[in-house]
Amino acid sequence: MTSIESSKTWTSHPLREEPLAKSVLLVLIILSVALIVGVSFQSITFAFLSLILLTAAMSRYLFITRYAIDAHGFTISHIGMRRQYLWTSFRRVAIHPDGIFLSPFVKPHRLDTFRGQFLHSKNPAEIYHVVQKYIAIDPA
């Protein structure tokens, strides 16, 4: 297996990838809520604070996320934060229309959303092909 086949890097930016109307609507909702908060509390500070909090909550949609896969694991980089995960931490991979989901559990579990990782991709089949080489599934 060559390094080209075993490693992959890509970026995800849903703000640009999704339809323009959806992105514009989200930005308008964030600005409207911030404006409503500012007016109702009569404070520019609260308006600015709500704008910051809503932007932070939607940061995965609004800002670029970079993914890198190699033989040891994968890395997710987003707004200056970088998290590395080892393949040994995951035991199941599931393909979805907009990416792949990695879980530490062999079977679907109620804690999947808290312990698993989702790798957003426009081409999930390609990522799935690379990832399934590394996920060692334990027999149940």
Side-chain angles (χ1 to χ4, degrees):
M1 182 166 33
T2 65
S3 62
I4 294 172
E5 294 172 353
S6 65
S7 65
K8 178 93 175 130
T9 60
W10 73 98
T11 60
S12 172
H13 194 191
L15 182 70
R16 290 186 180 176
E17 295 166 3
E18 295 290 331
L20 181 63
K22 183 177 180 180
S23 298
V24 169
L25 183 62
L26 176 67
V27 171
L28 288 176
I29 289 171
I30 290 172
L31 292 174
S32 298
V33 169
L35 179 67
I36 290 169
V37 167
V39 169
S40 63
F41 284 104
Q42 298 177 354
S43 171
I44 190 77
T45 305
F46 283 138
F48 185 69
L49 182 63
S50 65
L51 181 65
I52 297 294
L53 290 174
L54 290 170
T55 302
M58 296 303 302
S59 68
R60 292 279 180 180
Y61 186 90
L62 297 171
F63 304 114
I64 294 174
T65 303
R66 290 179 174 78
Y67 300 95
I69 294 175
D70 61 19
H72 303 290
F74 61 95
T75 304
I76 301 174
S77 303
H78 179 69
I79 311 179
M81 293 187 299
R82 184 175 176 183
R83 293 186 181 163
Q84 294 180 315
Y85 301 92
L86 298 175
W87 293 125
T88 55
S89 302
F90 299 97
R91 298 170 62 194
R92 178 172 55 94
V93 58
I95 191 165
H96 294 276
D98 55 346
I100 61 168
F101 179 75
L102 299 163
S103 173
F105 305 106
V106 176
K107 296 179 182 177
H109 194 274
R110 62 186 173 142
L111 295 176
D112 270 343
T113 49
F114 301 106
R115 300 207 181 145
Q117 289 297 319
F118 189 80
L119 306 179
H120 193 280
S121 173
K122 289 186 278 186
N123 189 0
E126 182 180 349
I127 305 304
Y128 181 79
H129 178 70
V130 175
V131 168
Q132 74 180 5
K133 296 175 188 177
Y134 300 116
I135 301 292
I137 300 174
D138 296 337

